Amino acid sequence: VQLQASGGGLVQAGGSLRLSCAASGRTFSSYNMGWFRQAPGEERESVAAISWRGHSTYSADSVKGRFTISRDNAKNTVYLDMNSLRPEDTALYYCAIVDNSSPPRGIYWGQGTLVTVSS
């Protein structure tokens, strides 16, 4: 499986972005998927995750009510809808195959997409 994240960019505080993570391979629908982020000088942190059928989700406290994770297994894609963005959301965002831990841990990583939120 290869994971390719896209959709990052520069947005003003209060704005919205949608990140996408396209996966190659026929087994995408078998995997729990997640989004992580890493800000400069910070450790990578889990942002959100979704179970393989999309029935269960996880969101970090810092993004609850603002970010929504979803997936379309027919398109081999997982999404992260980000609303009410804040400057502290600025980071490199990664998608990953994740385990069942809470918070989830990444098992296999894709390349990141940069999100910059200006004040």
Side-chain angles (χ1 to χ4, degrees), residues 12-102:
Q12 288 188 330
S16 300
L17 280 176
R18 170 176 254 205
L19 304 184
S20 300
C21 176
S24 63
R26 293 176 292 177
T27 57
F28 170 79
S29 60
S30 301
Y31 299 121
N32 298 334
M33 299 296 298
W35 286 95
F36 297 75
R37 66 185 182 187
Q38 187 167 20
E42 303 288 334
E43 292 187 353
R44 186 156 47 189
E45 63 172 345
S46 175
V47 174
I50 188 166
S51 61
W52 63 279
R53 285 197 294 183
H55 291 177
S56 178
T57 61
Y58 161 87
S59 294
D61 288 342
S62 58
V63 305
K64 277 181 180 175
R66 301 189 298 122
F67 292 11
T68 303
I69 189 170
S70 61
R71 68 190 296 162
D72 185 339
N73 286 343
K75 295 183 178 179
N76 279 10
T77 303
V78 61
Y79 304 98
L80 186 68
D81 287 297
M82 305 186 295
N83 298 308
S84 302
L85 282 161
R86 304 168 180 168
E88 55 263 39
D89 295 318
T90 294
L92 192 59
Y93 284 71
Y94 300 88
C95 64
I97 295 171
V98 300
D99 63 9
N100 291 319
S101 302
S102 184

